[in-house]
Amino acid sequence: MNSKRKRKPEISDGKQSSAQSPSAKVLKVESEARKRLSSDNLTKGMKSRLVKSFYKQDCESLAKALLGKVLVRYCKDTGERLSGLIVETEAYLGGEDKGAHSFNGEGAAVLLRGIDPVDGIDHMQKIRSQKTLKEKDLCNGPSKLCQALKISKDKFNKVDMSSSDEIWLEDGEDLPGTNIVTGARINIDYAEEWAQKPLRFYILGNKSVSKRDKAAEDSLSRV
């Protein structure tokens, strides 16, 4: 039930006024401003959108290349731009990779395990119903990431991110190898010898990484 008090009906004298009331003008201005904001959010990073050629590399290389790029989710219903820097990925090679859903079949995939929130942080907190949640805990895991950015399998499965107007990737920063930690993937104990393959990658020192691999970090520091 709407708790707001209903406005009393106004009595008309049968004459129409050519001038808009102040409230109507305010509503019109707010509506136009919202449309401009929505348009600005939609086109904000279009010039730096990653094109199809970027994705045409082997799975492991792509998983590394995605670090430092920006994942963008544009919510058409609110005109809100939600985005974050990709800080953690995992490569699933398919074929003989026992950790992949496509084991013994075709198809490789990169899992985005975590992003560092950039745009729409307040909105992300509302979506996750966690106003007191720290920024680093908003998207530091694949399920958290999908919740915070309103990404569902039903809506976005097999969507072309190079052409979609609701979800895409933008260019960010190229990271030197010394800033990329390589270690075993998380929660795939069922994958036998593949459970320890070094196919997880994350940005060294970033607060939004889901789980640090201190041994891998120590190895990186000795290189």
Side-chain angles (χ1 to χ4, degrees):
M1 180 179 291
N2 193 340
S3 61
K4 293 184 179 179
R5 184 179 298 174
K6 291 184 178 180
R7 184 180 180 185
K8 292 182 179 180
E10 297 179 355
I11 299 174
S12 173
D13 59 3
K15 297 179 181 179
Q16 292 185 354
S17 172
S18 60
Q20 286 183 314
S21 68
S23 60
K25 289 181 179 179
V26 170
L27 288 173
K28 184 177 180 181
V29 170
E30 288 181 347
S31 177
E32 290 176 350
R34 186 168 292 142
K35 286 180 181 178
R36 285 197 300 271
L37 178 61
S38 176
S39 177
D40 289 346
N41 282 339
L42 176 60
T43 60
K44 184 176 180 181
M46 290 296 190
K47 292 182 180 179
S48 58
R49 178 196 286 261
L50 296 180
V51 297
K52 283 188 177 182
S53 58
F54 171 82
Y55 301 95
K56 292 180 179 180
Q57 48 187 310
D58 68 86
C59 186
E60 189 172 345
S61 297
L62 180 60
K64 295 177 183 178
L66 284 168
L67 295 175
K69 305 307 186 226
V70 180
L71 173 63
V72 179
R73 168 77 166 94
Y74 174 68
C75 303
K76 287 186 174 181
D77 56 340
T78 62
E80 189 82 22
R81 173 190 163 100
L82 310 176
S83 74
L85 189 77
I86 299 172
V87 300
E88 183 179 2
T89 62
E90 288 180 344
Y92 289 87
L93 309 182
E96 63 180 357
D97 184 354
K98 295 180 180 178
H101 291 302
S102 54
F103 171 54
N104 277 337
E106 296 182 358
V110 175
L111 173 67
L112 303 185
R113 278 205 61 89
I115 66 171
D116 197 5
V118 176
D119 294 313
I121 294 173
D122 290 344
H123 199 61
M124 291 182 196
Q125 290 174 326
K126 290 178 182 177
I127 293 171
R128 292 202 59 203
S129 301
Q130 296 285 348
K131 293 182 179 180
T132 58
L133 201 63
K134 294 180 180 179
E135 287 183 20
K136 70 180 183 66
D137 296 321
L138 274 174
C139 304
N140 61 338
S143 294
K144 296 178 183 179
L145 186 163
C146 288
Q147 290 171 19
L149 272 66
K150 298 173 69 174
I151 299 172
S152 65
K153 182 178 180 180
D154 291 342
K155 186 175 180 64
F156 292 109
N157 190 35
K158 297 184 179 180
V159 165
D160 186 346
M161 296 181 72
S162 66
S163 60
S164 171
D165 61 355
E166 292 188 74
I167 188 168
W168 63 86
L169 294 178
E170 293 175 2
D171 202 4
E173 54 183 290
D174 293 324
L175 300 171
T178 52
N179 281 9
I180 298 176
V181 181
T182 301
R185 294 170 294 186
I186 296 174
N187 296 330
I188 58 164
D189 295 339
Y190 58 85
E192 300 176 358
E193 73 276 12
W194 278 86
Q196 296 304 313
K197 297 286 185 180
L199 294 170
R200 181 168 78 107
F201 313 98
Y202 66 85
I203 298 177
L204 179 65
N206 188 277
K207 64 184 184 301
S208 295
V209 169
S210 64
K211 185 178 181 181
R212 292 177 57 193
D213 185 330
K214 293 184 179 180
E217 291 181 10
D218 289 341
S219 298
L220 183 64
S221 66
R222 291 195 294 268
V223 174

